[in-house]
Amino acid sequence: MRYTDRERTYFVSQGSSFEEWNIFYFKNADKDLAYYRWRGVEAKWVLTREEAEKNLIKAARRNKWLKVVENDECC
């Protein structure tokens, strides 16, 4: 599940400790695709992927991000 504001693409991933999940993004114009942690209100470290995805959906609604459709999600 990914969302975009046309400048960045936001997604859920594990942190460096591999025990907690959070919202990360990469800038669409970057060629090296460095990941950055999102610092918004919903960017809370949580223990499950499901909780992090709920936070991502809340952030997407609040910020009016567009959902990125993956190949396997079409139609």
Side-chain angles (χ1 to χ4, degrees):
M1 171 183 321
R2 292 177 183 235
Y3 288 88
T4 184
D5 61 3
R6 293 192 174 99
E7 182 181 332
R8 300 178 182 122
T9 300
Y10 301 89
F11 59 97
V12 168
S13 185
Q14 289 178 311
S16 58
S17 68
F18 295 108
E19 294 176 4
E20 295 180 315
W21 294 80
N22 207 335
I23 300 170
F24 291 85
Y25 70 88
F26 60 84
K27 295 181 181 177
N28 295 338
D30 281 353
K31 294 188 174 145
D32 59 355
L33 291 179
Y35 291 161
Y36 306 95
R37 187 165 73 87
W38 189 54
R39 306 261 181 208
V41 176
E42 294 88 358
K44 299 174 184 133
W45 289 103
V46 292
L47 295 177
T48 64
R49 181 183 183 111
E50 291 78 22
E51 288 179 71
E53 286 178 347
K54 286 180 188 176
N55 290 339
L56 177 62
I57 291 169
K58 286 180 195 174
R61 285 184 187 148
R62 192 160 78 70
N63 294 294
K64 297 182 175 114
W65 296 337
L66 303 171
K67 185 170 183 178
V68 177
V69 178
E70 304 291 335
N71 289 338
D72 57 348
E73 294 178 5
C74 182
C75 310

